[in-house]
């Protein structure tokens, strides 16, 4: 089976429609969405309507949660103060325009979707707000996959696509310290695990404005990171016309990898 896995549409209907056409051309069997249907982009209601019309299994993203529960539902929603200020502007606008039925839909989205040995989340199994960056410590990365009880963990949230393989092997578990109860060393043997980040359809940050998503073939276990050009200028114009901050159009047009330096580059959720 060929899965098309996409994430972070962010109200960018133009990018979403273009990606859907590419998915159709690739003859995918299933589409799974990793959330963040709204936020930053000018068409939140239209994107949700399209997802619902296609009956796409979708998990709840951090933006989807924040529109329902209020901004900063998690204290570590943003990696920097600058990102938080910009997020506040986008949240206020989005919160005003989303329809009640859209808000209700976002509120009932599950946090995880499973298909066999595949697990689909927005940020991580811990939280929609946690960033699983490609340089994340290997032990922590492996723990996140194991906690999902999966062989392959699909995530988004970073807006930067990648595939990371955590090789077969053993991990030694040892407890030490003056107050620790003496325990023998334990070995945990794991098979090959993978984290696959789908990037972002609607607000890519890998250095180009092209939309990204991933196609995963369960038979060959091949992950194809797709990069799809679209007319981003239409979305940029709509961002400005709808009164959203112009910086969002500027960032979208460049596919900026990071619009600001993160205060905490690991950005692990502690809740």
């Amino acid at each position: 089976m060929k899965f098309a896995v996409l994430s972070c549409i962010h109200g960018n209907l133009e990018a979403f429609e273009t990606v859907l056409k590419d998915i159709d051309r690739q003859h995918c069997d299933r589409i799974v969405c990793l959330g963040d249907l709204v936020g930053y982009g000018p068409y939140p209601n239209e994107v949700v309507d399209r997802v619902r019309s296609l009956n796409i299994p979708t998990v709840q993203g951090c933006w989807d949660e924040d529109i329902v529960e209020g901004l900063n539902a998690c204290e570590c929603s943003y990696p920097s103060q600058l990102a938080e200020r910009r997020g506040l502007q986008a949240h206020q606008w989005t919160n005003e325009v989303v329809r009640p039925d859209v808000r209700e839909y976002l509120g009932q989205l599950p946090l995880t979707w499973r298909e066999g040995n595949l697990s689909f989340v927005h940020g991580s199994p811990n939280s929609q707000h946690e960033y699983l960056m490609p340089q994340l410590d290997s032990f922590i990365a492996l723990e996140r996959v194991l906690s999902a009880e999966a062989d392959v963990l699909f995530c988004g949230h970073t807006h930067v696509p990648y595939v990371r393989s955590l090789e077969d092997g053993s991990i030694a578990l040892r407890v030490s310290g003056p107050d620790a109860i003496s325990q023998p060393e334990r070995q945990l043997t794991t098979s090959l695990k993978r984290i696959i980040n789908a990037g972002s359809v609607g607000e890519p940050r890998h250095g180009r404005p092209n939309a990204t998503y991933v196609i995963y073939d369960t038979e060959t276990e091949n992950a194809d990171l797709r990069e799809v050009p679209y007319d981003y200028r239409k979305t940029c114009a709509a961002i400005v016309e709808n009164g959203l901050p112009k910086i969002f159009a500027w960032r979208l047009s460049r596919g900026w990898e990071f619009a600001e330096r993160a205060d905490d580059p690991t950005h692990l959720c502690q809740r």
Side-chain angles (χ1 to χ4, degrees):
M1 180 175 287
K2 290 174 67 175
F3 282 87
V5 185
L6 47 91
S7 185
C8 304
I9 304 172
H10 283 299
N12 189 338
L13 187 64
E14 186 73 22
F16 187 31
E17 292 290 2
T18 304
V19 165
L20 288 174
K21 291 177 182 177
D22 190 71
I23 290 172
D24 186 60
R25 287 192 294 268
Q26 302 306 315
H27 305 292
C28 295
D29 301 297
R30 291 287 301 275
I31 303 175
V32 178
C33 180
L34 306 181
D36 269 10
L37 306 182
V38 304
Y40 298 119
Y43 300 114
N45 294 316
E46 292 83 352
V47 164
V48 171
D49 288 343
R50 192 74 169 106
V51 169
R52 297 177 72 178
S53 71
L54 296 173
N55 198 29
I56 297 174
T58 302
V59 300
Q60 187 184 70
C62 59
W63 265 94
D64 308 323
E65 181 191 31
D66 282 350
I67 288 299
V68 176
E69 301 294 339
L71 188 64
N72 283 343
C74 173
E75 291 182 355
C76 58
S77 294
Y78 294 98
S80 72
Q81 291 182 347
L82 179 57
E84 185 170 5
R85 289 198 296 271
R86 292 173 177 168
L88 176 61
Q89 293 175 292
H91 181 273
Q92 290 173 335
W93 184 90
T94 306
N95 195 48
E96 291 174 359
V97 303
V98 293
R99 302 191 313 260
D101 66 295
V102 169
R103 197 184 307 273
E104 181 181 2
Y105 170 78
L106 297 176
Q108 57 82 40
L109 290 174
L111 300 183
T112 303
W113 186 267
R114 293 192 62 88
E115 294 273 355
N117 67 337
L118 312 178
S119 182
F120 304 85
V121 300
H122 177 69
S124 86
N126 277 14
S127 167
Q128 306 98 303
H129 299 267
E130 183 174 66
Y131 289 81
L132 297 186
M133 305 301 289
Q135 66 271 28
L136 181 65
D137 177 84
S138 297
F139 186 86
I140 297 175
L142 179 59
E143 185 278 330
R144 296 301 190 262
V145 182
L146 293 176
S147 69
E149 299 181 348
D151 291 326
V152 184
L153 176 65
F154 292 90
C155 63
H157 193 42
T158 69
H159 295 213
V160 181
Y162 67 85
V163 177
R164 183 174 182 183
S165 295
L166 302 164
E167 302 296 339
D168 304 28
S170 297
I171 298 175
L173 304 177
R174 184 185 303 109
V175 178
S176 61
D179 298 324
I181 299 174
S182 178
Q183 294 183 12
E185 181 177 296
R186 299 172 62 189
Q187 294 286 332
L188 172 66
T189 302
T190 67
S191 58
L192 175 67
K193 306 294 183 183
R194 301 171 84 186
I195 297 176
I196 300 177
N197 193 301
S200 173
V201 169
E203 194 191 291
R205 295 179 188 169
H206 62 288
R208 293 178 295 279
N210 301 331
T212 67
Y213 76 101
V214 65
I215 295 177
Y216 183 76
D217 190 317
T218 58
E219 182 175 350
T220 64
E221 299 184 346
N222 179 65
D224 178 17
L225 298 179
R226 303 282 300 170
E227 188 167 334
V228 184
Y230 74 100
D231 191 353
Y232 63 85
R233 294 176 182 85
K234 287 185 178 180
T235 302
C236 290
I239 287 173
V240 176
E241 290 168 3
N242 281 277
L244 282 158
K246 293 181 180 179
I247 186 66
F248 295 158
W250 178 87
R251 184 167 63 182
L252 181 64
S253 69
R254 287 159 175 78
W256 211 249
E257 184 173 357
F258 292 109
E260 57 278 322
R261 185 179 297 276
D263 299 328
D264 176 9
T266 61
H267 200 56
L268 296 176
C269 185
Q270 302 301 322
R271 73 173 181 180

